Amino acid sequence: MAFVTRQFVRSMSSSSSASASAKKILVKHVTVIGGGLMGAGIAQVAAATGHTVVLVDQTEDILEKSRKGIEESLRKVAKKKFAENPKGADEFVAKTLSSISTSTDAASVVHSTDLVVEAIVENLQMKNELFKRLDKFATEHTIFASNTSSLQITSLANSTTRQD
Ligand SMILES: NC(=O)c1ccc[n+]([C@@H]2O[C@H](COP(=O)([O-])OP(=O)(O)OC[C@H]3O[C@@H](n4cnc5c(N)ncnc54)[C@H](O)[C@@H]3O)[C@@H](O)[C@H]2O)c1
């Protein structure tokens, strides 16, 4: 995904004037749904590359575990990246962690996000229910993305009003 290495600008055609005015959207705020192995990793990389991230999962306990995992992983990255500069390493870890907040209520956070990355369990019905619900709360410009390993993106897109 583009956002993992740098902030990116998305060109989006508005439905009313598709060819005329392509809007440029800078992705600054990312919501990651699912704080398991993949979601925690996506949240970590998005935060480390300058994005503000909200990580969402079902319980505070799971989110606490995700946060600890992210911190451990960041410390390993920092140790290599700032091998000669322990203070820089600490600052990198602290700054990245401070860009990640958590929530158990996806609907209440997606209204202000540019990109939603779904990384919940690999179940079409659950992913569809999630996207259908978030579709009502996210703004028109919000991009929906899935980390699915085997499901068809079109079957997920069909649960939303966003076909782009
Ligand atoms: N693990 C891998 O190597 C791998 C690789 C590529 C793609 N994927 C895909 O990434 C996705 C996530 O995989 P994973 O290994 O991180 O799974 P995981 O089981 O480690 O994590 C899934 C998380 O989603 C949470 N969750 C479930 N339903 C939710 C909901 N409605 N709202 C919020 N949170 C919810 C669970 O509590 C859990 O913490 C799957 O679609 C999987 O197929 C996984």
Side-chain angles (χ1 to χ4, degrees):
M1 279 188 265
F3 81 86
V4 299
T5 52
R6 61 186 167 81
Q7 292 199 337
F8 73 97
V9 175
R10 177 209 198 191
S11 294
M12 189 179 83
S13 303
S14 78
S15 51
S16 54
S17 55
S19 57
S21 61
K23 281 194 265 177
K24 297 281 188 194
I25 294 169
L26 177 65
V27 174
K28 288 184 182 164
H29 185 287
V30 180
T31 298
V32 181
I33 320 271
L37 184 67
M38 300 308 289
I42 293 165
Q44 175 187 327
V45 177
T49 51
H51 301 84
T52 308
V53 180
V54 181
L55 180 60
V56 178
D57 208 304
Q58 293 168 315
T59 69
E60 295 291 350
D61 283 353
I62 297 172
L63 287 167
E64 184 55 33
K65 206 175 151 198
S66 308
R67 211 173 164 78
K68 280 192 182 140
I70 292 171
E71 184 169 355
E72 275 169 30
S73 176
L74 278 172
R75 291 211 180 279
K76 284 184 196 157
V77 173
K79 206 172 169 185
K80 283 189 190 161
K81 197 173 162 140
F82 297 92
E84 314 278 309
N85 178 8
K87 191 166 171 262
D90 287 345
E91 283 170 3
F92 168 76
V93 172
K95 185 169 182 284
T96 307
L97 281 176
S98 73
S99 299
I100 304 175
S101 57
T102 56
S103 172
T104 52
D105 183 8
S108 72
V109 295
V110 292
H111 61 84
S112 58
T113 202
D114 304 309
L115 173 65
V116 174
V117 184
E118 164 283 308
I120 68 169
V121 285
E122 189 75 349
N123 177 298
L124 180 61
Q125 193 184 343
M126 285 175 73
K127 287 182 193 282
N128 273 339
E129 278 169 14
L130 176 71
F131 278 131
K132 194 172 177 186
R133 193 158 63 91
L134 298 186
D135 195 34
K136 296 189 188 117
F137 295 96
T139 60
E140 194 191 351
H141 87 267
T142 304
I143 304 163
F144 282 10
S146 172
N147 196 58
T148 180
S149 42
S150 60
L151 301 171
Q152 280 195 342
I153 287 296
T154 44
S155 21
L156 294 170
N158 286 340
S159 65
T160 77
T161 55
R162 302 148 204 264
Q163 302 299 309
D164 62 334

